[in-house]
Amino acid sequence: MNLADTDTQNATSPTTALPVVAVPGVEAWHVESNVVPMIALSFTFEGGAAQDPEGKAGCAQMLARLLDEGAGDLTSDAFQERLAARAIELSFHAGPDALGGSLKMLLKHADEAIDLLALALAKPRLDPDAIERVRAQVMAGLRYQQNDPGVMASRRFFKEAFDGHPYARPSSGTIESVAAITREDILAMHARLIGRGRIKVAAVGAIGAEALAEALTRAFGTLPEAGALTAVPRTQIKELDRKIVVDLDVPQSVIRFGMAGIPWRDPDFIPAYVLNHVLGGGAFTSRLFQEVREKRGLAYSVGTSLVSHRSAAMIWGYTATKNERVGEALSVIGDEIGRLITEGPSDEELQKAKDYLTGSYALGFDTSTKIAHQLVQIAFEDLGMDYIARRNAMVESVTQADIRRAAARTFADGKMLVVAAGRPVGL
């Protein structure tokens, strides 16, 4: 069937996601929209960098970077030329818990785009010259990052926070680990990750459900069942109440700090999300922005986010300041966390946070690609197809009691792990 000839007259609302039954082992959500003649596809396979073999950190990311470096009978150059000739956008990525990708194409080129995706997933060439080229690119980037205080602070933070756990390893690997990865390692990773049974897909655009089911069967139907994954044990952030310095000769220190978090699937995630917005997630309105930047001029940027991995969660913060003012900046951050523990946010702060989080939510759905990415993430977390419809009501229902409960689970006694890359004075 030519996808460009499919009937899309009975399109549903762009906010309505419907399931599509395609090949077994592939869970798919669909939003049909005829605003423009294009289709955006997002997909994710369970299992990412946490599955890297011991001493081979960076293997999953190497695989992701190599999937479009030639497939089947097409060399790397030929494959890229086919994509470029039809303005097809295909990319792959690997995070701690998943390897995923995205595909965007005009409706008239959808058949060729789907065929190229299927080829990349099922029959990547993994040619030795492509492997060495990608390896050289990765290692060049890693060498450059050795002088980047932000990268060095982040890496040391995760190394200490999750010592002995797969999350302690950098997803992109190290110079030594990337050098040790073989073609056989990459082939084994492909067999474990790329397969049916653990794949979530979201498709948005000018395609009907029947045509989409056929396209997904072509894209993923020839894949074997995915291999067994190594169990990744649940863990939590360690080394709280510890401050670590990564010595770099730079005029200001880059700071990373973290506390316990709440995972996305937990009933207290939404209260913790609102609490984080009050503390440091609200850009110009957050307490940390006001106290650290606006009132004291200690930093240009400061903020926090709620990080939820499959097997761990944390509140993760960042800032940067002059070496001689690191102690003062951390003291202000600690004081604001302490105030939220003892006093909580004011009723006005809480309402403003809820108003912003509900009012801005739609901005994450203003393009087909964004909608597809949001849907596949929701599917990956098993939040339910109606999550988008429920989400704002859950935010609106957060009470001061919910905030106190979330604060007790995250901030605890205010202790946090701090890593500063630079030459901070008095830390």
Side-chain angles (χ1 to χ4, degrees), residues 27-75:
E27 179 183 331
W29 291 10
H30 174 221
V31 175
E32 188 174 351
S33 173
N34 297 311
V35 177
V36 292
M38 62 163 288
I39 304 166
L41 201 70
S42 185
F43 52 90
T44 185
F45 296 87
E46 182 90 24
Q51 299 295 315
D52 286 343
E54 189 67 31
K56 305 288 183 72
C59 188
Q61 282 209 6
M62 282 278 287
L63 170 62
R65 294 185 63 155
L66 284 161
L67 286 174
D68 63 354
E69 290 282 345
D73 294 332
L74 300 175
T75 65

Side-chain angles (χ1 to χ4, degrees), residues 256-285:
R256 301 290 184 260
F257 59 94
M259 299 156 283
I262 295 176
W264 204 346
R265 303 184 192 191
D266 191 290
D268 280 336
F269 175 82
I270 292 294
Y273 186 60
V274 176
L275 174 64
N276 175 75
H277 185 84
V278 173
L279 174 65
F284 301 107
T285 61

Side-chain angles (χ1 to χ4, degrees), residues 306-369:
L306 195 53
V307 176
S308 176
H309 293 324
R310 264 291 190 258
S311 299
M314 66 177 175
I315 290 181
W316 154 268
Y318 64 89
T319 192
T321 190
K322 293 179 180 179
N323 286 326
E324 57 270 23
R325 303 196 74 180
V326 168
E328 182 183 358
L330 289 174
S331 178
V332 173
I333 291 170
D335 288 346
E336 289 308 309
I337 292 172
R339 285 181 57 213
L340 282 174
I341 293 172
T342 57
E343 304 170 13
S346 67
D347 289 341
E348 181 182 7
E349 275 183 303
L350 178 56
Q351 189 57 53
K352 283 183 176 180
K354 293 194 291 187
D355 288 345
Y356 177 85
L357 292 173
T358 54
S360 63
Y361 190 49
L363 298 178
F365 301 88
D366 60 355
T367 68
S368 296
T369 299

Side-chain angles (χ1 to χ4, degrees), residues 126-280:
L126 304 179
D127 290 330
D129 62 329
I131 291 174
E132 294 311 314
R133 182 173 63 255
V134 169
R135 190 198 310 275
Q137 293 168 353
V138 172
M139 293 177 69
L142 292 172
R143 291 189 184 95
Y144 177 80
Q145 290 171 358
Q146 288 180 328
N147 295 313
D148 185 321
V151 173
M152 299 308 291
S154 297
R155 288 193 167 213
R156 183 63 181 274
F157 179 93
F158 278 88
K159 182 176 184 296
E160 301 295 339
F162 301 112
D163 184 37
H165 191 275
Y167 291 161
R169 305 189 300 245
S171 294
S172 56
T174 65
I175 292 174
E176 294 76 20
S177 69
V178 170
I181 295 169
T182 66
R183 185 173 188 271
E184 287 67 33
D185 294 325
I186 299 170
L187 284 168
M189 184 67 74
H190 180 270
R192 294 170 67 193
L193 302 187
I194 307 298
R196 291 180 288 113
R198 292 191 300 267
I199 180 173
K200 312 289 186 183
V201 185
V204 180
I207 184 171
E210 182 180 347
L212 177 60
E214 181 180 329
L216 296 180
T217 299
R218 285 166 50 198
F220 306 107
T222 61
L223 294 176
E225 286 292 324
L229 295 180
T230 301
V232 179
R234 289 208 59 80
T235 187
Q236 58 187 1
I237 185 172
K238 303 174 183 177
E239 301 293 346
L240 295 177
D241 203 27
R242 185 179 176 200
K243 297 178 176 64
I244 298 168
V245 174
V246 178
D247 183 54
L248 290 175
D249 188 9
V250 289
Q252 69 172 12
S253 293
V254 173
I255 300 168
R256 301 290 184 260
F257 59 94
M259 299 156 283
I262 295 176
W264 204 346
R265 303 184 192 191
D266 191 290
D268 280 336
F269 175 82
I270 292 294
Y273 186 60
V274 176
L275 174 64
N276 175 75
H277 185 84
V278 173
L279 174 65

